[in-house]
Amino acid sequence: MRVAYHEQMSDLATQLADMCRLAEESMERATEALLQADLSLAEQVITKNEQIEQLSVSCEEKAFALLALQAPVAGDLRQVISGIQIVADLDRMGALALHVAKITRRRHPNHALPEEVNGYFAEMGRVAVALGAAAREVLLTRDPERAARLQEEDDAMDDLHKHLFTVLMDRDWSHGVAAAVDVTLLGRFYERFADHAVQVARRVIFLATGRMPGQLPEHELLQED
């Protein structure tokens, strides 16, 4: 029974990493489609989202089957519950890349972005893809130290998002309300993609250590009292 359990957990971990890879690739393509107003690439992202959704269903089914049939406790239970939560984060990452692609498709053949913000979104796309790759790495390695560094790497996305609003709020903005709404939504999509990648890393830390980041070990809590 234990051999079967570990095989099933290994299979679940592999599928989670596959989901993360697909979300990462989708955001990379969605960003290129956005910057180039490339309808073909946008359609690829939209179609590929079906694979992410299928993996999401498969991972959830495996996790719930493990709960129902194996009755895991302690560390094993933590792995299964973390897996279910990670599925939700990865599914959302895929959906956010999908939203980017849909805005590109909706505005085609025009560009969704004014030229002056292209640089922001090129960099936000780069950071988002890098965070997705890092999340996939920690899913495979379960390295809590590498996972903890994702929070610092996410600071770059937060800075870009804040600077983007300075452009939108500038009274010299001349691109109208529709463009401002698109830029606002797109900026939010990239920020949330990064946040979910960081959340995946936080769940890996919990999986590996039994504590969420920022939670002190019990002996340190006792010392503070």
Side-chain angles (χ1 to χ4, degrees), residues 198-217:
V198 171
Q199 190 63 22
V200 168
R202 288 170 58 84
R203 297 193 197 286
V204 169
I205 293 172
F206 175 70
L207 192 158
T209 68
R211 298 190 304 272
M212 290 298 287
Q215 181 181 341
L216 291 172

Side-chain angles (χ1 to χ4, degrees), residues 5 8-9 12 60-73 76-82 84:
Y5 170 80
Q8 289 171 309
M9 282 303 306
L12 177 59
E60 283 191 342
E61 287 176 348
K62 280 184 170 61
F64 285 121
L66 283 166
L67 284 176
L69 301 177
Q70 301 290 350
V73 295
D76 289 343
L77 179 61
R78 187 167 71 236
Q79 288 188 63
V80 178
I81 296 300
S82 296
I84 293 170

Side-chain angles (χ1 to χ4, degrees), residues 3 23 52 74 111 171 181 183 212:
V3 172
I52 297 175
H111 285 257
R171 51 187 181 177
V181 170
V183 169
M212 290 298 287

Side-chain angles (χ1 to χ4, degrees), residues 44-60:
Q44 287 180 35
V45 173
I46 293 165
T47 300
K48 194 169 189 174
N49 189 251
E50 295 177 5
Q51 297 179 42
I52 297 175
E53 291 177 349
Q54 289 169 0
L55 270 176
S56 176
V57 171
S58 176
C59 287
E60 283 191 342

Side-chain angles (χ1 to χ4, degrees), residues 10-24:
S10 177
D11 187 35
L12 177 59
T14 299
Q15 287 198 320
L16 290 174
D18 286 343
M19 269 189 80
C20 194
R21 175 182 53 79
L22 288 171
E24 170 197 339

Side-chain angles (χ1 to χ4, degrees), residues 72-147:
V73 295
D76 289 343
L77 179 61
R78 187 167 71 236
Q79 288 188 63
V80 178
I81 296 300
S82 296
I84 293 170
Q85 293 171 326
I86 288 168
V87 169
D89 287 310
L90 296 175
D91 187 66
R92 192 64 193 140
M93 287 166 68
L96 289 161
L98 176 67
H99 293 336
V100 174
K102 284 186 174 180
I103 286 183
T104 299
R105 182 174 68 176
R106 185 165 66 244
R107 297 303 180 196
H108 185 81
N110 297 319
H111 285 257
L113 297 175
E115 188 174 349
E116 68 194 81
V117 298
N118 276 354
Y120 286 96
F121 282 95
E123 184 62 11
M124 290 174 86
R126 186 196 66 78
V127 173
V129 171
L131 285 168
R136 176 163 51 89
E137 177 188 346
V138 300
L139 281 170
L140 291 170
T141 64
R142 298 192 180 182
D143 180 350
E145 293 183 3
R146 177 68 186 97

Side-chain angles (χ1 to χ4, degrees), residues 176-191:
V177 174
V181 170
D182 281 347
V183 169
T184 301
L185 286 173
L186 287 162
R188 181 63 171 163
F189 296 155
Y190 281 92
E191 182 200 31

